[in-house]
Amino acid sequence: MFVPVVGEWSPPGDCALLLPAVSVGNVGQLAIDLIISSLDMPKVGYFYTDCLVPMVGNNPYATNEEHAKELCINAEVYASSDQKLAVLQIRSPLIKKKSRAFSQALTCWIKKCAFTRVVLLSSSHAYQRDDSQLFGTPFRYLVTPALQTLVADAMKTLEWKEMEKMSLYPGMNDDERKISIPGGGFTKRLFEDCCSEGIHMAVVLKFCSEGDNIPDAFSLLDHVNRWLHLLDLPEDVGTTRWKIPSSWRLLFGSGLPSALF
């Protein structure tokens, strides 16, 4: 359930929604952090649900001491009217066995807001790739049937590669295939629910491994930016124009105390 910060909020016409999956390396969440920080998007509300692990912390996008005192929770909504863009940032994992309930609540809210398109940023375990996925680009995409006809030309122009279906019984019966996104969290479930609900939704993911996944977040966001044009990034500039939020200073802790040496 969406709860506005002040008064009422509804997305402007032709508004798109971006959100992350809590997946391997937290790549989608890091990319969403960069979007919110770079576009200086104000918080308009939060997504109230009992399906996520509860959490509270300081404002991750604070630019001064006063803003640092503001609190954030596990699922918050940011929006930019100029960009016609809304962003749902998810900061904690799903509670076990509540994946279906969360996906249903999310699709219900998406339909109520009538977003023109939904883009889910995700990731998948690099070590569980099929042989056909070992070469070429590490990025893949999926689109629901409702969105397929609208973006088919754009995907072809961008030369993006669609996520392959995997064999259920490799070497025994390769005719039975399904979508498999190991390490992708609720990505597959939300995608399937959006398919059945007729929602215009796309998944954009990267194969990666756990570790320092900041470069993965930058590259995934650059990849998505070629399609959505969130920020004007000349090809020779690379990732330098994305604004890193203040909270990333402690992404790997505060360092070792000097008293240890």
Side-chain angles (χ1 to χ4, degrees):
M1 179 179 68
F2 173 76
V3 181
V5 173
V6 178
E8 295 292 331
W9 178 84
S10 59
D14 298 327
C15 184
L17 173 69
L18 268 69
L19 73 156
V22 184
S23 52
V24 54
N26 306 109
V27 175
Q29 295 160 290
L30 293 172
I32 292 293
D33 263 355
L34 289 171
I35 293 172
I36 296 170
S37 182
S38 300
L39 300 181
D40 195 22
M41 301 177 75
K43 180 166 61 178
V44 296
Y46 58 93
F47 195 76
Y48 176 75
T49 176
D50 63 352
C51 299
L52 296 171
V53 174
M55 65 134 298
V56 66
N58 293 103
N59 182 2
Y61 315 113
T63 55
N64 56 54
E65 187 175 345
E66 182 179 352
H67 289 161
K69 297 177 183 178
E70 299 173 1
L71 297 179
C72 74
I73 60 171
N74 53 12
E76 295 183 323
V77 180
Y78 299 77
S80 170
S81 298
D82 295 337
Q83 294 272 346
K84 292 186 177 180
L85 179 69
V87 170
L88 171 62
Q89 176 62 299
I90 301 172
R91 299 190 176 95
S92 66
L94 283 167
I95 293 174
K96 191 175 181 180
K97 296 184 179 180
K98 289 203 172 184
S99 175
R100 179 177 294 277
F102 180 71
S103 181
Q104 291 174 344
L106 204 50
T107 52
C108 181
W109 178 62
I110 289 170
K111 292 181 69 176
K112 181 179 178 181
C113 291
F115 292 111
T116 55
R117 69 181 59 178
V118 179
V119 181
L120 178 68
L121 306 184
S122 185
S123 52
S124 183
H125 283 302
Y127 73 88
Q128 287 190 257
R129 285 175 292 177
D130 184 73
D131 289 349
S132 63
Q133 298 171 331
L134 294 175
F135 302 97
T137 177
F139 302 102
R140 293 293 187 275
Y141 80 92
L142 288 167
V143 291
T144 60
L147 185 62
Q148 176 68 50
T149 55
L150 300 177
V151 301
D153 291 341
M155 299 295 105
K156 186 176 181 180
T157 301
L158 292 168
E159 298 181 343
W160 280 15
K161 196 167 185 178
E162 190 171 6
M163 188 69 173
E164 300 88 348
K165 291 186 177 181
M166 312 295 287
S167 175
L168 291 175
Y169 307 101
M172 297 178 62
N173 185 355
D174 292 333
D175 293 332
E176 294 186 50
R177 293 177 173 270
K178 67 174 183 177
I179 294 172
S180 178
I181 309 176
F186 62 82
T187 301
K188 182 181 176 182
R189 182 179 293 277
L190 182 62
F191 175 73
E192 291 175 343
D193 285 350
C194 287
C195 285
S196 61
E197 293 291 336
I199 294 173
H200 293 181
M201 190 254 206
V203 175
V204 186
L205 62 83
K206 183 182 182 184
F207 295 118
C208 64
S209 302
E210 292 279 4
D212 180 0
N213 295 101
I214 290 177
D216 294 311
F218 274 117
S219 61
L220 176 63
L221 191 51
D222 281 338
H223 186 69
V224 172
N225 194 62
R226 293 178 57 204
W227 174 34
L228 300 181
H229 305 291
L230 303 170
L231 198 65
D232 183 18
L233 288 177
E235 291 294 329
D236 59 340
V237 172
T239 60
T240 57
R241 293 277 297 278
W242 297 111
K243 181 182 176 183
I244 296 175
S246 56
S247 56
W248 283 24
R249 290 177 297 178
L250 301 177
L251 201 59
F252 297 102
S254 56
L256 297 174
S258 56
L260 286 177
F261 304 99

